[in-house]
Amino acid sequence: MTPDTATDIDAYTGTGTGTDANTGTDTDTDSAERARQLIGLLAEESRMRALAAVALGADGTERVAEVAGLSAKDAAVALLRLREQGVVVDGAPDGLAVSYGLFRGLVRRAPPAPRTGGGPDPVLDTFVRDGRLVRLPAQWTRKKLVLRHIAERTFEPGAEYPERVVNERLRAWCEDSDGVDHVTLRRYLVDLHHLHRSEGVYRRPGAGTEHGTGHGTDDAAEAG
């Protein structure tokens, strides 16, 4: 099974208990250690080449050896180590697959970089990472802040965009998000007047003309 959740990553690290619910200190440490393990694993050339071969579609040891330019023995040893660490898993019948979910999970669990004076808003540090939306806040005021950030980083004021382009740009924000799709983002941006829609064409208002129409109440404040 491809690991794609926090629980799966705990299973790989042998952890998952005793985590501080407020700070996530243990979880952050475990994730950092797991990331170091994977970096060490892939620092060996034959393993990296074997992983690349699997990513390119090699479905067995012989094919991996051929694609990666390795001997059959080296390919077999590299695949053994990759499978032991959960980086390569069973794919299609009798095939192999890269465990992309493992890497995505580590990215989601990684703590944000330390902030310095004048840096990003701490809310954005929590809910936006590497140009991707982690998740939308439940608290309405925080949600509006994140949505404004997405609008400002995605669309130029006064420019017009067909719906296809709007969808493509918002879909990129959702690649690593938990439970949020581009349609939901688009609806929020229209509701909050960050985008105006007319006959299938969207336009972000000019600077100083946007205004929120918050129609929800604040949920319980989130940790973070």
Side-chain angles (χ1 to χ4, degrees):
M1 178 179 64
T2 301
D4 200 18
T5 65
T7 301
D8 293 324
I9 292 182
D10 288 341
Y12 277 108
T13 59
T15 62
T17 59
T19 301
D20 187 325
N22 293 321
T23 65
T25 302
D26 290 345
T27 295
D28 293 346
T29 300
D30 297 338
S31 296
E33 178 59 28
R34 180 60 173 149
R36 283 192 289 271
Q37 291 175 356
L38 293 181
I39 291 171
L41 176 72
L42 298 177
E44 205 282 317
E45 183 181 353
S46 65
R47 297 171 196 158
M48 178 64 82
R49 291 169 68 175
L51 178 63
V54 174
L56 291 171
D59 56 1
T61 303
E62 292 184 5
R63 183 60 180 156
V64 168
E66 179 183 349
V67 173
L70 299 171
S71 69
K73 178 181 178 180
D74 287 345
V77 172
L79 287 174
L80 176 63
R81 294 290 292 120
L82 293 170
R83 291 174 72 99
E84 286 176 346
Q85 293 297 318
V87 176
V88 169
V89 296
D90 293 332
D94 300 321
L96 301 170
V98 175
S99 180
Y100 294 108
L102 173 62
F103 296 99
R104 287 194 295 267
L106 284 170
V107 170
R108 285 198 294 267
R109 293 280 296 277
R115 296 179 64 244
T116 57
D121 187 288
V123 173
L124 298 179
D125 282 347
T126 300
F127 296 101
V128 176
R129 190 168 297 153
D130 297 327
R132 298 290 185 269
L133 178 66
V134 177
R135 66 184 187 277
L136 280 176
Q139 190 183 57
W140 182 243
T141 53
R142 292 184 176 189
K143 184 177 294 183
K144 290 194 293 184
L145 176 64
V146 171
L147 290 166
R148 175 181 287 275
H149 173 80
I150 291 174
E152 291 175 347
R153 294 304 176 93
T154 309
F155 305 105
E156 292 293 330
E160 294 187 343
Y161 303 88
E163 186 167 292
R164 174 184 56 80
V165 173
V166 172
N167 289 342
E168 289 176 354
R169 295 192 177 189
L170 294 180
R171 191 178 288 113
W173 283 94
C174 302
E175 288 182 355
D176 298 323
S177 179
D178 292 331
V180 180
D181 59 22
H182 68 283
V183 176
T184 300
L185 285 185
R186 190 185 68 209
R187 184 181 303 117
Y188 273 127
L189 294 181
V190 171
D191 287 347
L192 292 172
H193 299 281
H194 294 311
L195 286 178
H196 290 171
R197 176 176 55 199
S198 177
E199 298 181 352
V201 175
Y202 294 75
R203 179 178 60 85
R204 183 179 159 219
T209 63
E210 299 179 44
H211 61 281
T213 60
H215 50 71
T217 57
D218 284 354
D219 300 323
E222 299 181 23

